[in-house]
Amino acid sequence: MDSFFSSYVWPALIMIGQSLLLLVCLLVFIAFILLADRKVWANVQLRRGPNVVGPFGLFQSFADLLKFILKEPVIPAGADKIVFLLAPLVSVTLALATWAVIPLNDGWAVANINVGILYVFAISSLEVYGIIMGGWASNSKYPFLGALRSAAQMVSYEVSIGFVIVTVLLCVGSLNLTDIVYAQKTGLGTMLGLPNTFLDWHWLPLFPMFVIFFISGLAETNRPPFDLPEAESELVAGYMVEYSSAPYMMLMLGEYAAIMLICSLTTILFLGGWLPPFDFWLINWVPGIIWFLLKVIMVFFGIAMAKAIVPRYRYDQLMRLGWKVFLPLSLIMLIIVAFVLKLTGWAG
Amino acid sequence: MGLQAIFFYLFAFVAVASAFMVISAKNPVHSVLFLILVFFNSAGLFLLTGAEFLAMILLVVYIGAVAVLFLFVVMMLEIDFAEFRSGVLQYAPIGILVGLIVAAELIVVIGGSVITPEATKAITMPIPNPAVRSNTAALGDVLYTNYVYFFEIAGLVLLVAMIGAIVLTLRHRQDVKRQNIASQVARTPKTAVEVVKVKPGQGI
Protein backbone atom coordinates (compact mmCIF):
# COMPACT_ATOMS: atom_id res chain seq x y z
CA MET A 1 0.00 0.00 0.00
CA ASP A 2 2.86 2.28 0.87
CA SER A 3 4.57 1.69 -2.50
CA PHE A 4 1.25 2.32 -4.26
CA PHE A 5 1.04 5.67 -2.51
CA SER A 6 4.62 6.67 -3.31
CA SER A 7 4.56 5.45 -6.93
CA TYR A 8 1.08 6.57 -8.06
CA VAL A 9 -0.72 8.92 -5.68
CA TRP A 10 2.14 11.20 -4.71
CA PRO A 11 3.42 11.95 -8.27
CA ALA A 12 -0.17 12.48 -9.40
CA LEU A 13 -0.79 14.97 -6.58
CA ILE A 14 2.42 16.85 -7.41
CA MET A 15 1.42 16.94 -11.09
CA ILE A 16 -2.06 18.25 -10.27
CA GLY A 17 -0.59 20.88 -7.94
CA GLN A 18 1.88 22.07 -10.60
CA SER A 19 -0.84 22.21 -13.26
CA LEU A 20 -3.19 24.16 -11.00
CA LEU A 21 -0.47 26.65 -10.09
CA LEU A 22 0.44 27.10 -13.77
CA LEU A 23 -3.20 27.55 -14.79
CA VAL A 24 -3.97 30.09 -12.07
CA CYS A 25 -0.85 32.13 -12.90
CA LEU A 26 -1.67 31.87 -16.61
CA LEU A 27 -5.25 33.04 -16.15
CA VAL A 28 -4.22 36.03 -14.01
CA PHE A 29 -1.56 36.86 -16.61
CA ILE A 30 -4.16 36.64 -19.38
CA ALA A 31 -6.44 39.01 -17.43
CA PHE A 32 -3.71 41.66 -17.45
CA ILE A 33 -2.70 40.90 -21.04
CA LEU A 34 -6.31 41.54 -22.09
CA LEU A 35 -6.15 44.90 -20.38
CA ALA A 36 -2.76 45.64 -21.95
CA ASP A 37 -4.19 44.85 -25.37
CA ARG A 38 -7.00 47.35 -24.88
CA LYS A 39 -4.63 49.96 -23.42
CA VAL A 40 -2.17 49.69 -26.33
CA TRP A 41 -5.00 49.93 -28.82
CA ALA A 42 -6.45 52.94 -27.00
CA ASN A 43 -3.13 54.75 -26.80
CA VAL A 44 -2.47 54.33 -30.51
CA GLN A 45 -5.85 55.93 -31.16
CA LEU A 46 -5.20 58.70 -28.58
CA ARG A 47 -7.87 57.36 -26.22
CA ARG A 48 -7.46 56.48 -22.55
CA GLY A 49 -8.78 52.94 -22.66
CA PRO A 50 -10.31 51.32 -19.57
CA ASN A 51 -9.37 53.53 -16.62
CA VAL A 52 -12.25 53.34 -14.13
CA VAL A 53 -11.96 50.04 -12.22
CA GLY A 54 -8.98 50.16 -9.85
CA PRO A 55 -5.82 52.25 -10.33
CA PHE A 56 -5.27 52.87 -14.09
CA GLY A 57 -8.15 50.46 -14.73
CA LEU A 58 -5.98 47.53 -13.62
CA PHE A 59 -8.95 45.50 -12.35
CA GLN A 60 -11.06 45.97 -15.49
CA SER A 61 -10.65 42.32 -16.57
CA PHE A 62 -11.83 41.06 -13.17
CA ALA A 63 -14.88 43.33 -13.32
CA ASP A 64 -15.58 41.92 -16.79
CA LEU A 65 -15.22 38.40 -15.40
CA LEU A 66 -17.87 39.08 -12.73
CA LYS A 67 -20.17 40.57 -15.33
CA PHE A 68 -19.78 37.59 -17.69
CA ILE A 69 -20.51 35.10 -14.92
CA LEU A 70 -23.53 36.91 -13.52
CA LYS A 71 -25.32 37.51 -16.84
CA GLU A 72 -27.80 35.04 -18.26
CA PRO A 73 -26.47 32.67 -20.96
CA VAL A 74 -28.82 32.81 -23.93
CA ILE A 75 -29.04 29.72 -26.14
CA PRO A 76 -30.77 30.31 -29.50
CA ALA A 77 -33.94 28.28 -30.05
CA GLY A 78 -32.66 26.64 -33.25
CA ALA A 79 -29.22 25.88 -31.86
CA ASP A 80 -27.79 22.41 -31.37
CA LYS A 81 -27.66 22.76 -27.60
CA ILE A 82 -24.95 20.22 -26.73
CA VAL A 83 -22.52 21.20 -29.50
CA PHE A 84 -23.26 24.88 -28.81
CA LEU A 85 -22.11 24.53 -25.21
CA LEU A 86 -19.34 22.07 -26.08
CA ALA A 87 -17.63 24.53 -28.46
CA PRO A 88 -16.41 27.05 -25.83
CA LEU A 89 -15.35 24.18 -23.58
CA VAL A 90 -13.33 22.59 -26.39
CA SER A 91 -11.66 25.84 -27.33
CA VAL A 92 -10.67 26.80 -23.77
CA THR A 93 -9.58 23.27 -22.76
CA LEU A 94 -7.36 22.83 -25.81
CA ALA A 95 -5.83 26.27 -25.46
CA LEU A 96 -4.92 25.59 -21.83
CA ALA A 97 -3.85 21.95 -22.42
CA THR A 98 -0.96 23.05 -24.62
CA TRP A 99 0.67 24.84 -21.69
CA ALA A 100 1.58 21.48 -20.10
CA VAL A 101 4.77 21.23 -22.17
CA ILE A 102 5.90 24.88 -22.30
CA PRO A 103 9.15 25.33 -20.31
CA LEU A 104 8.88 28.67 -18.50
CA ASN A 105 12.35 28.27 -17.04
CA ASP A 106 15.09 25.64 -16.97
CA GLY A 107 13.16 22.48 -16.01
CA TRP A 108 9.89 24.27 -15.27
CA ALA A 109 7.71 22.37 -17.75
CA VAL A 110 4.89 20.34 -16.17
CA ALA A 111 5.56 17.56 -18.70
CA ASN A 112 8.96 17.60 -20.38
CA ILE A 113 8.08 15.18 -23.20
CA ASN A 114 10.25 14.13 -26.15
CA VAL A 115 7.83 15.26 -28.84
CA GLY A 116 6.95 18.54 -27.11
CA ILE A 117 6.82 20.74 -30.19
CA LEU A 118 4.71 18.17 -32.05
CA TYR A 119 2.30 18.06 -29.11
CA VAL A 120 1.94 21.83 -29.21
CA PHE A 121 1.45 21.75 -32.97
CA ALA A 122 -1.10 18.93 -32.73
CA ILE A 123 -3.19 20.51 -29.99
CA SER A 124 -3.13 23.95 -31.58
CA SER A 125 -4.29 22.41 -34.86
CA LEU A 126 -7.34 21.13 -32.95
CA GLU A 127 -8.29 24.60 -31.76
CA VAL A 128 -10.12 25.19 -35.03
CA TYR A 129 -12.84 22.81 -33.78
CA GLY A 130 -14.03 25.20 -31.09
CA ILE A 131 -14.70 27.76 -33.81
CA ILE A 132 -16.26 25.38 -36.35
CA MET A 133 -18.50 23.74 -33.75
CA GLY A 134 -19.58 27.10 -32.34
CA GLY A 135 -20.31 28.51 -35.78
CA TRP A 136 -22.27 25.49 -36.92
CA ALA A 137 -24.22 24.89 -33.70
CA SER A 138 -25.44 28.51 -33.56
CA ASN A 139 -27.64 27.71 -36.58
CA SER A 140 -27.32 31.24 -37.88
CA LYS A 141 -25.79 32.73 -41.02
CA TYR A 142 -23.04 35.01 -39.71
CA PRO A 143 -21.55 32.46 -37.30
CA PHE A 144 -21.58 29.84 -40.04
CA LEU A 145 -19.74 32.12 -42.47
CA GLY A 146 -17.23 32.92 -39.73
CA ALA A 147 -16.70 29.23 -39.02
CA LEU A 148 -16.11 28.43 -42.70
CA ARG A 149 -13.62 31.25 -43.05
CA SER A 150 -11.76 30.26 -39.95
CA ALA A 151 -11.55 26.59 -40.95
CA ALA A 152 -9.93 27.50 -44.27
CA GLN A 153 -7.69 30.14 -42.71
CA MET A 154 -6.32 28.08 -39.84
CA VAL A 155 -5.68 25.02 -41.99
CA SER A 156 -3.83 27.15 -44.58
CA TYR A 157 -1.53 28.91 -42.14
CA GLU A 158 -0.77 25.76 -40.18
CA VAL A 159 1.11 24.52 -43.26
CA SER A 160 3.63 27.37 -43.25
CA ILE A 161 3.89 27.28 -39.45
CA GLY A 162 4.75 23.60 -39.78
CA PHE A 163 7.57 24.33 -42.22
CA VAL A 164 8.95 27.09 -39.99
CA ILE A 165 8.97 24.70 -37.03
CA VAL A 166 10.72 22.05 -39.14
CA THR A 167 13.46 24.55 -40.05
CA VAL A 168 14.09 25.33 -36.39
CA LEU A 169 14.07 21.62 -35.56
CA LEU A 170 16.71 21.00 -38.26
CA CYS A 171 18.99 23.48 -36.49
CA VAL A 172 18.28 21.92 -33.08
CA GLY A 173 18.09 18.21 -33.83
CA SER A 174 15.46 17.51 -31.18
CA LEU A 175 11.69 17.88 -30.74
CA ASN A 176 12.00 18.65 -27.05
CA LEU A 177 11.17 22.28 -26.20
CA THR A 178 13.83 22.45 -23.48
CA ASP A 179 16.47 21.20 -25.94
CA ILE A 180 15.38 23.89 -28.41
CA VAL A 181 16.20 26.56 -25.84
CA TYR A 182 19.51 24.88 -24.89
CA ALA A 183 20.51 24.85 -28.56
CA GLN A 184 20.33 28.65 -28.58
CA LYS A 185 23.01 29.01 -25.91
CA THR A 186 25.59 29.04 -28.69
CA GLY A 187 24.96 30.24 -32.21
CA LEU A 188 25.90 32.84 -34.77
CA GLY A 189 27.29 35.25 -32.14
CA THR A 190 29.65 32.73 -30.55
CA MET A 191 30.73 31.56 -34.00
CA LEU A 192 31.96 35.10 -34.67
CA GLY A 193 33.91 34.99 -31.40
CA LEU A 194 31.53 37.09 -29.32
CA PRO A 195 30.46 35.99 -25.81
CA ASN A 196 26.94 34.58 -25.24
CA THR A 197 24.49 37.28 -26.25
CA PHE A 198 21.08 37.61 -27.83
CA LEU A 199 22.82 37.29 -31.21
CA ASP A 200 23.08 33.52 -30.58
CA TRP A 201 19.34 33.02 -30.70
CA HIS A 202 17.58 31.65 -33.75
CA TRP A 203 15.93 34.90 -34.79
CA LEU A 204 19.12 36.15 -36.44
CA PRO A 205 20.15 33.24 -38.72
CA LEU A 206 16.50 32.34 -39.41
CA PHE A 207 15.19 35.90 -39.68
CA PRO A 208 12.82 35.29 -42.65
CA MET A 209 11.30 32.33 -40.81
CA PHE A 210 10.91 34.48 -37.69
CA VAL A 211 8.87 36.99 -39.69
CA ILE A 212 6.79 34.26 -41.36
CA PHE A 213 6.14 32.63 -38.00
CA PHE A 214 5.02 35.90 -36.42
CA ILE A 215 2.61 36.73 -39.26
CA SER A 216 1.29 33.16 -39.51
CA GLY A 217 0.81 33.25 -35.76
CA LEU A 218 -1.43 36.28 -36.18
CA ALA A 219 -3.47 34.38 -38.76
CA GLU A 220 -3.54 31.19 -36.72
CA THR A 221 -4.96 32.95 -33.65
CA ASN A 222 -7.44 35.05 -35.67
CA ARG A 223 -5.82 38.28 -34.58
CA PRO A 224 -6.13 41.47 -36.64
CA PRO A 225 -5.25 42.04 -39.49
CA PHE A 226 -6.42 38.44 -40.09
CA ASP A 227 -9.48 38.42 -37.81
CA LEU A 228 -11.81 37.46 -40.66
CA PRO A 229 -13.71 34.78 -38.69
CA GLU A 230 -15.06 37.50 -36.42
CA ALA A 231 -14.66 40.57 -38.66
CA GLU A 232 -17.09 42.81 -36.82
CA SER A 233 -17.70 45.14 -39.76
CA GLU A 234 -18.73 42.28 -42.07
CA LEU A 235 -19.92 39.41 -39.87
CA VAL A 236 -20.93 41.32 -36.70
CA ALA A 237 -18.73 39.08 -34.55
CA GLY A 238 -18.49 35.95 -36.69
CA TYR A 239 -18.70 32.67 -34.86
CA MET A 240 -19.28 34.44 -31.53
CA VAL A 241 -22.49 36.26 -32.54
CA GLU A 242 -24.91 33.99 -30.70
CA TYR A 243 -22.79 33.55 -27.59
CA SER A 244 -23.36 35.43 -24.37
CA SER A 245 -22.16 35.46 -20.75
CA ALA A 246 -19.97 32.56 -19.55
CA PRO A 247 -19.74 30.64 -22.88
CA TYR A 248 -18.67 33.86 -24.62
CA MET A 249 -16.10 34.46 -21.92
CA MET A 250 -14.69 30.98 -22.46
CA LEU A 251 -14.35 31.57 -26.20
CA MET A 252 -12.50 34.83 -25.47
CA LEU A 253 -10.34 33.11 -22.87
CA GLY A 254 -9.46 30.35 -25.31
CA GLU A 255 -8.52 32.91 -27.93
CA TYR A 256 -6.24 34.83 -25.59
CA ALA A 257 -4.67 31.63 -24.20
CA ALA A 258 -3.88 30.68 -27.81
CA ILE A 259 -2.34 34.12 -28.40
CA MET A 260 -0.19 33.74 -25.29
CA LEU A 261 0.83 30.31 -26.57
CA ILE A 262 1.96 31.72 -29.92
CA CYS A 263 3.91 34.43 -28.05
CA SER A 264 5.68 31.90 -25.85
CA LEU A 265 6.29 29.59 -28.80
CA THR A 266 7.94 32.48 -30.67
CA THR A 267 10.01 33.10 -27.54
CA ILE A 268 11.10 29.47 -27.28
CA LEU A 269 11.77 28.88 -30.98
CA PHE A 270 13.42 32.17 -31.91
CA LEU A 271 14.13 34.34 -28.87
CA GLY A 272 16.03 31.93 -26.63
CA GLY A 273 13.31 31.09 -24.09
CA TRP A 274 14.53 31.84 -20.59
CA LEU A 275 18.12 32.68 -21.62
CA PRO A 276 19.36 36.15 -20.59
CA PRO A 277 20.25 38.56 -23.43
CA PHE A 278 23.82 39.18 -22.19
CA ASP A 279 26.32 37.07 -20.25
CA PHE A 280 26.89 39.48 -17.36
CA TRP A 281 26.74 38.69 -13.63
CA LEU A 282 24.00 41.18 -12.77
CA ILE A 283 21.84 39.97 -15.67
CA ASN A 284 22.56 36.29 -15.00
CA TRP A 285 21.33 36.83 -11.43
CA VAL A 286 17.82 37.68 -12.70
CA PRO A 287 15.74 34.46 -12.74
CA GLY A 288 15.03 32.94 -16.16
CA ILE A 289 11.25 33.19 -15.78
CA ILE A 290 11.56 37.00 -15.77
CA TRP A 291 13.39 36.93 -19.10
CA PHE A 292 10.81 34.53 -20.48
CA LEU A 293 7.92 36.78 -19.42
CA LEU A 294 9.67 39.91 -20.73
CA LYS A 295 10.15 38.30 -24.13
CA VAL A 296 6.55 37.05 -24.20
CA ILE A 297 5.30 40.55 -23.37
CA MET A 298 7.54 42.02 -26.06
CA VAL A 299 6.12 39.67 -28.70
CA PHE A 300 2.60 40.39 -27.47
CA PHE A 301 3.26 44.11 -27.79
CA GLY A 302 4.08 43.48 -31.44
CA ILE A 303 0.81 41.61 -31.88
CA ALA A 304 -1.17 44.35 -30.13
CA MET A 305 0.47 47.03 -32.28
CA ALA A 306 -0.35 45.02 -35.41
CA LYS A 307 -4.00 45.11 -34.34
CA ALA A 308 -3.84 48.88 -33.86
CA ILE A 309 -2.03 49.93 -37.02
CA VAL A 310 -2.72 47.40 -39.80
CA PRO A 311 -6.04 47.38 -41.71
CA ARG A 312 -7.89 44.08 -42.07
CA TYR A 313 -6.97 41.88 -45.04
CA ARG A 314 -9.50 40.91 -47.66
CA TYR A 315 -10.25 37.18 -47.66
CA ASP A 316 -8.71 36.43 -51.08
CA GLN A 317 -5.61 38.41 -50.11
CA LEU A 318 -5.31 36.34 -46.95
CA MET A 319 -5.45 33.10 -48.93
CA ARG A 320 -2.97 34.42 -51.48
CA LEU A 321 -0.52 35.40 -48.75
CA GLY A 322 -0.78 31.99 -47.11
CA TRP A 323 -0.56 29.72 -50.15
CA LYS A 324 1.32 31.75 -52.75
CA VAL A 325 3.80 33.71 -50.63
CA PHE A 326 4.46 32.02 -47.29
CA LEU A 327 4.26 28.40 -48.42
CA PRO A 328 6.84 28.69 -51.27
CA LEU A 329 9.02 30.99 -49.19
CA SER A 330 9.13 28.67 -46.19
CA LEU A 331 9.70 25.63 -48.45
CA ILE A 332 12.66 27.32 -50.16
CA MET A 333 14.07 28.41 -46.81
CA LEU A 334 13.68 24.86 -45.49
CA ILE A 335 15.71 23.49 -48.40
CA ILE A 336 18.37 26.20 -48.05
CA VAL A 337 18.72 25.63 -44.31
CA ALA A 338 18.94 21.86 -44.78
CA PHE A 339 21.66 22.25 -47.43
CA VAL A 340 23.67 24.75 -45.37
CA LEU A 341 23.50 22.51 -42.31
CA LYS A 342 24.54 19.46 -44.32
CA LEU A 343 27.38 21.11 -46.25
CA THR A 344 28.91 22.92 -43.28
CA GLY A 345 28.38 20.01 -40.90
CA TRP A 346 26.73 22.24 -38.27
CA ALA A 347 23.81 19.84 -37.93
CA GLY A 348 25.73 17.69 -35.46
CA MET B 1 1.21 -1.86 -15.17
CA GLY B 2 -2.16 -1.37 -13.49
CA LEU B 3 -2.35 2.27 -14.43
CA GLN B 4 -1.56 1.47 -18.08
CA ALA B 5 -4.31 -1.15 -18.15
CA ILE B 6 -6.83 1.35 -16.76
CA PHE B 7 -5.93 3.89 -19.44
CA PHE B 8 -5.98 1.21 -22.15
CA TYR B 9 -9.51 0.15 -21.26
CA LEU B 10 -10.62 3.78 -20.97
CA PHE B 11 -9.28 4.73 -24.43
CA ALA B 12 -10.39 1.47 -26.01
CA PHE B 13 -13.90 1.65 -24.57
CA VAL B 14 -14.42 5.28 -25.59
CA ALA B 15 -13.00 4.58 -29.05
CA VAL B 16 -15.29 1.63 -29.69
CA ALA B 17 -18.34 3.34 -28.21
CA SER B 18 -17.84 6.48 -30.28
CA ALA B 19 -17.11 4.37 -33.38
CA PHE B 20 -20.55 2.87 -32.84
CA MET B 21 -21.99 6.37 -32.46
CA VAL B 22 -20.40 7.41 -35.78
CA ILE B 23 -22.67 5.02 -37.66
CA SER B 24 -25.73 5.39 -35.44
CA ALA B 25 -25.88 9.17 -34.89
CA LYS B 26 -28.87 10.83 -36.59
CA ASN B 27 -27.05 14.01 -37.52
CA PRO B 28 -24.06 13.66 -39.92
CA VAL B 29 -22.18 16.48 -38.17
CA HIS B 30 -22.48 14.58 -34.89
CA SER B 31 -21.10 11.53 -36.71
CA VAL B 32 -18.00 13.46 -37.75
CA LEU B 33 -17.56 14.81 -34.22
CA PHE B 34 -17.70 11.24 -32.87
CA LEU B 35 -15.21 10.22 -35.56
CA ILE B 36 -12.86 12.87 -34.18
CA LEU B 37 -13.31 11.34 -30.73
CA VAL B 38 -12.35 7.94 -32.20
CA PHE B 39 -9.16 9.43 -33.69
CA PHE B 40 -8.35 11.13 -30.41
CA ASN B 41 -8.65 7.93 -28.42
CA SER B 42 -6.63 5.99 -31.00
CA ALA B 43 -3.90 8.57 -30.50
CA GLY B 44 -4.10 7.79 -26.79
CA LEU B 45 -3.71 4.07 -27.55
CA PHE B 46 -0.65 4.83 -29.69
CA LEU B 47 0.83 6.76 -26.77
CA LEU B 48 0.30 3.78 -24.47
CA THR B 49 2.27 1.49 -26.80
CA GLY B 50 5.11 4.03 -26.79
CA ALA B 51 4.57 5.25 -30.36
CA GLU B 52 4.58 8.91 -29.37
CA PHE B 53 5.46 10.23 -32.82
CA LEU B 54 2.65 8.30 -34.52
CA ALA B 55 0.20 9.52 -31.88
CA MET B 56 1.06 13.16 -32.53
CA ILE B 57 1.03 12.71 -36.31
CA LEU B 58 -2.40 11.07 -36.00
CA LEU B 59 -3.59 14.19 -34.18
CA VAL B 60 -2.04 16.62 -36.67
CA VAL B 61 -2.99 14.84 -39.89
CA TYR B 62 -6.26 13.10 -39.16
CA ILE B 63 -7.89 15.45 -36.67
CA GLY B 64 -6.16 18.69 -37.62
CA ALA B 65 -6.61 18.37 -41.38
CA VAL B 66 -8.65 15.41 -42.68
CA ALA B 67 -11.50 15.61 -40.17
CA VAL B 68 -11.71 19.39 -40.64
CA LEU B 69 -12.34 18.78 -44.33
CA PHE B 70 -14.93 16.10 -43.52
CA LEU B 71 -16.69 18.48 -41.18
CA PHE B 72 -16.47 21.23 -43.78
CA VAL B 73 -18.14 19.10 -46.45
CA VAL B 74 -20.77 17.59 -44.17
CA MET B 75 -21.74 21.00 -42.82
CA MET B 76 -22.16 22.40 -46.32
CA LEU B 77 -24.29 19.52 -47.60
CA GLU B 78 -27.89 19.41 -46.48
CA ILE B 79 -28.32 15.65 -46.33
CA ASP B 80 -31.81 14.34 -45.66
CA PHE B 81 -30.91 11.44 -43.46
CA ALA B 82 -34.39 9.92 -43.19
CA GLU B 83 -34.38 9.31 -46.93
CA PHE B 84 -30.77 8.24 -46.87
CA ARG B 85 -31.46 5.61 -44.23
CA SER B 86 -34.66 4.16 -45.71
CA GLY B 87 -32.95 1.46 -47.78
CA VAL B 88 -30.09 0.78 -45.41
CA LEU B 89 -31.14 -2.77 -44.52
CA GLN B 90 -30.79 -4.03 -48.08
CA TYR B 91 -27.02 -3.53 -47.80
CA ALA B 92 -26.85 -5.53 -44.57
CA PRO B 93 -25.70 -8.85 -46.17
CA ILE B 94 -22.72 -7.15 -47.86
CA GLY B 95 -21.85 -5.36 -44.62
CA ILE B 96 -22.00 -8.60 -42.65
CA LEU B 97 -19.81 -10.33 -45.27
CA VAL B 98 -17.15 -7.61 -45.12
CA GLY B 99 -17.27 -7.65 -41.33
CA LEU B 100 -16.79 -11.43 -41.26
CA ILE B 101 -13.81 -11.24 -43.62
CA VAL B 102 -12.11 -8.55 -41.51
CA ALA B 103 -12.81 -10.50 -38.32
CA ALA B 104 -11.35 -13.66 -39.84
CA GLU B 105 -8.21 -11.83 -40.95
CA LEU B 106 -7.76 -10.28 -37.52
CA ILE B 107 -8.15 -13.67 -35.86
CA VAL B 108 -5.55 -15.21 -38.20
CA VAL B 109 -3.03 -12.41 -37.60
CA ILE B 110 -3.48 -12.13 -33.84
CA GLY B 111 -3.85 -15.88 -33.36
CA GLY B 112 -0.71 -16.48 -35.41
CA SER B 113 1.32 -14.11 -33.27
CA VAL B 114 0.02 -15.79 -30.10
CA ILE B 115 0.81 -19.34 -31.28
CA THR B 116 4.23 -18.63 -32.83
CA PRO B 117 5.71 -15.38 -31.50
CA GLU B 118 8.95 -16.00 -33.45
CA ALA B 119 7.18 -15.81 -36.80
CA THR B 120 6.15 -12.17 -36.32
CA LYS B 121 9.65 -11.20 -35.24
CA ALA B 122 11.10 -12.59 -38.46
CA ILE B 123 9.13 -10.27 -40.75
CA THR B 124 9.17 -6.99 -38.82
CA MET B 125 12.04 -4.52 -38.62
CA PRO B 126 13.95 -4.76 -35.34
CA ILE B 127 12.61 -2.10 -32.97
CA PRO B 128 15.45 0.01 -31.52
CA ASN B 129 15.64 0.50 -27.78
CA PRO B 130 13.67 3.69 -27.02
CA ALA B 131 16.24 4.71 -24.40
CA VAL B 132 19.00 4.80 -27.03
CA ARG B 133 17.24 5.88 -30.23
CA SER B 134 14.03 7.88 -29.82
CA ASN B 135 10.88 6.94 -31.63
CA THR B 136 11.04 9.91 -33.98
CA ALA B 137 14.68 9.35 -34.90
CA ALA B 138 14.07 5.63 -35.53
CA LEU B 139 11.19 6.40 -37.89
CA GLY B 140 13.34 9.01 -39.62
CA ASP B 141 16.11 6.44 -40.12
CA VAL B 142 13.72 4.09 -41.88
CA LEU B 143 11.86 6.65 -43.98
CA TYR B 144 14.58 9.11 -44.92
CA THR B 145 17.75 7.01 -44.84
CA ASN B 146 17.01 3.34 -45.56
CA TYR B 147 14.07 3.73 -47.91
CA VAL B 148 14.40 7.32 -49.08
CA TYR B 149 13.76 6.57 -52.79
CA PHE B 150 10.54 4.67 -52.09
CA PHE B 151 9.45 7.49 -49.85
CA GLU B 152 10.16 10.08 -52.53
CA ILE B 153 8.29 8.01 -55.15
CA ALA B 154 5.28 7.79 -52.82
CA GLY B 155 5.42 11.56 -52.49
CA LEU B 156 5.56 11.96 -56.28
CA VAL B 157 2.53 9.69 -56.70
CA LEU B 158 0.60 11.89 -54.28
CA LEU B 159 1.78 14.99 -56.13
CA VAL B 160 0.54 13.59 -59.44
CA ALA B 161 -2.80 12.76 -57.85
CA MET B 162 -3.06 16.30 -56.50
CA ILE B 163 -2.20 17.87 -59.85
CA GLY B 164 -4.76 15.62 -61.51
CA ALA B 165 -7.49 16.68 -59.11
CA ILE B 166 -6.65 20.35 -59.65
CA VAL B 167 -6.55 20.01 -63.45
CA LEU B 168 -9.94 18.27 -63.43
CA THR B 169 -11.67 20.93 -61.36
CA LEU B 170 -9.86 24.18 -62.17
CA ARG B 171 -11.88 26.52 -64.34
CA HIS B 172 -10.74 30.04 -64.99
CA ARG B 173 -13.91 32.07 -64.89
CA GLN B 174 -13.66 35.14 -67.06
CA ASP B 175 -16.50 37.09 -65.42
CA VAL B 176 -14.78 37.44 -62.04
CA LYS B 177 -12.63 40.43 -61.15
CA ARG B 178 -9.14 39.39 -60.11
CA GLN B 179 -6.43 41.32 -58.38
CA ASN B 180 -3.04 41.38 -60.12
CA ILE B 181 -0.70 42.50 -57.39
CA ALA B 182 2.33 42.91 -59.68
CA SER B 183 0.54 45.22 -62.10
CA GLN B 184 -0.92 47.15 -59.16
CA VAL B 185 2.48 47.73 -57.64
CA ALA B 186 4.03 48.60 -61.02
CA ARG B 187 1.58 51.44 -61.59
CA THR B 188 3.09 54.93 -61.50
CA PRO B 189 1.36 58.31 -61.57
CA LYS B 190 2.47 58.59 -65.22
CA THR B 191 0.51 55.54 -66.36
CA ALA B 192 -2.40 55.85 -63.96
CA VAL B 193 -3.26 59.54 -63.79
CA GLU B 194 -4.12 61.87 -66.62
CA VAL B 195 -4.25 65.55 -65.77
CA VAL B 196 -6.85 67.34 -67.85
CA LYS B 197 -7.56 71.03 -67.87
CA VAL B 198 -11.31 71.38 -68.16
CA LYS B 199 -12.68 74.61 -69.50
CA PRO B 200 -15.84 75.77 -67.75
CA GLY B 201 -19.06 74.68 -69.44
CA GLN B 202 -17.37 72.34 -71.91
CA GLY B 203 -16.54 69.09 -70.24
CA ILE B 204 -13.99 66.66 -71.62
Side-chain angles (χ1 to χ4, degrees), chain B residues 53 136-149 151-152:
Chain B
F53 185 76
T136 319
L139 271 176
D141 283 344
V142 174
L143 281 185
Y144 293 102
T145 309
N146 299 355
Y147 297 103
V148 62
Y149 295 117
F151 189 73
E152 301 263 303

Side-chain angles (χ1 to χ4, degrees), chain B residues 4 44-55 130 134-136:
Chain B
Q4 275 212 336
L45 289 175
F46 268 128
L47 269 187
L48 282 184
T49 56
E52 48 192 22
F53 185 76
L54 281 181
S134 84
N135 211 294
T136 319

Side-chain angles (χ1 to χ4, degrees), chain A residues 33-50 223 297 300-309:
Chain A
I33 277 292
L34 242 161
L35 178 77
D37 192 23
R38 295 168 70 178
K39 279 281 191 190
V40 168
W41 199 13
N43 272 296
V44 170
Q45 299 176 342
L46 301 180
R47 293 184 286 115
R48 277 171 194 257
R223 281 287 295 190
I297 290 169
F300 182 77
F301 181 70
I303 290 182
M305 286 301 277
K307 174 181 181 171
I309 54 185

Side-chain angles (χ1 to χ4, degrees), chain A residues 97-336:
Chain A
T98 337
W99 282 86
V101 294
I102 301 289
L104 300 174
N105 196 349
D106 203 353
W108 277 27
V110 175
N112 189 13
I113 59 175
N114 269 337
V115 286
I117 189 82
L118 263 182
Y119 172 81
V120 172
F121 190 62
I123 300 290
S124 62
S125 71
L126 303 191
E127 271 162 23
V128 65
Y129 283 110
I131 294 174
I132 302 185
M133 284 161 73
W136 176 79
S138 301
N139 198 9
S140 156
K141 290 197 176 58
Y142 287 130
F144 190 59
L145 283 174
L148 290 185
R149 280 183 176 190
S150 120
Q153 174 179 337
M154 290 173 90
V155 170
S156 316
Y157 278 83
E158 241 154 51
V159 181
S160 49
I161 283 194
F163 279 124
V164 173
I165 290 178
V166 169
T167 330
V168 175
L169 295 180
L170 278 181
C171 300
V172 176
S174 164
L175 270 68
N176 187 318
L177 287 168
T178 310
D179 286 347
I180 292 175
V181 177
Y182 279 141
Q184 298 180 60
K185 273 190 171 168
T186 56
L188 210 62
T190 42
M191 249 172 228
L192 296 172
L194 297 167
N196 294 329
T197 59
F198 60 96
L199 295 175
D200 294 335
W201 304 340
H202 282 147
W203 67 270
L204 190 59
L206 299 175
F207 192 73
M209 303 311 261
F210 178 48
V211 175
I212 292 177
F213 189 79
F214 182 77
I215 299 175
S216 305
L218 290 179
E220 181 75 9
T221 52
N222 298 327
R223 281 287 295 190
F226 305 112
D227 60 338
L228 290 147
E230 49 196 287
E232 64 273 0
S233 50
E234 311 163 14
L235 296 184
V236 196
Y239 65 96
M240 293 188 190
V241 174
E242 305 290 350
Y243 281 92
S244 52
S245 95
Y248 174 79
M249 183 191 68
M250 285 163 82
L251 280 178
M252 276 297 271
L253 195 66
E255 199 169 285
Y256 271 85
I259 293 166
M260 279 296 94
L261 183 84
I262 282 287
C263 292
S264 42
L265 216 54
T266 317
T267 306
I268 291 169
L269 291 178
F270 293 102
L271 298 175
W274 63 81
L275 300 176
F278 294 103
D279 193 13
F280 181 62
W281 65 270
L282 194 65
I283 284 176
N284 285 338
W285 178 75
V286 175
I289 176 96
I290 302 285
W291 291 122
F292 188 86
L293 287 181
L294 277 178
K295 288 170 190 173
V296 166
I297 290 169
M298 198 184 78
V299 177
F300 182 77
F301 181 70
I303 290 182
M305 286 301 277
K307 174 181 181 171
I309 54 185
V310 186
R312 182 179 297 128
Y313 259 53
R314 218 171 52 211
Y315 194 70
D316 63 312
Q317 291 172 329
L318 173 91
M319 282 296 151
R320 178 182 168 275
L321 186 71
W323 289 106
K324 293 190 183 171
V325 180
F326 282 174
L327 183 62
L329 204 64
S330 50
L331 251 178
I332 290 169
M333 271 301 286
L334 176 65
I335 293 168
I336 291 175

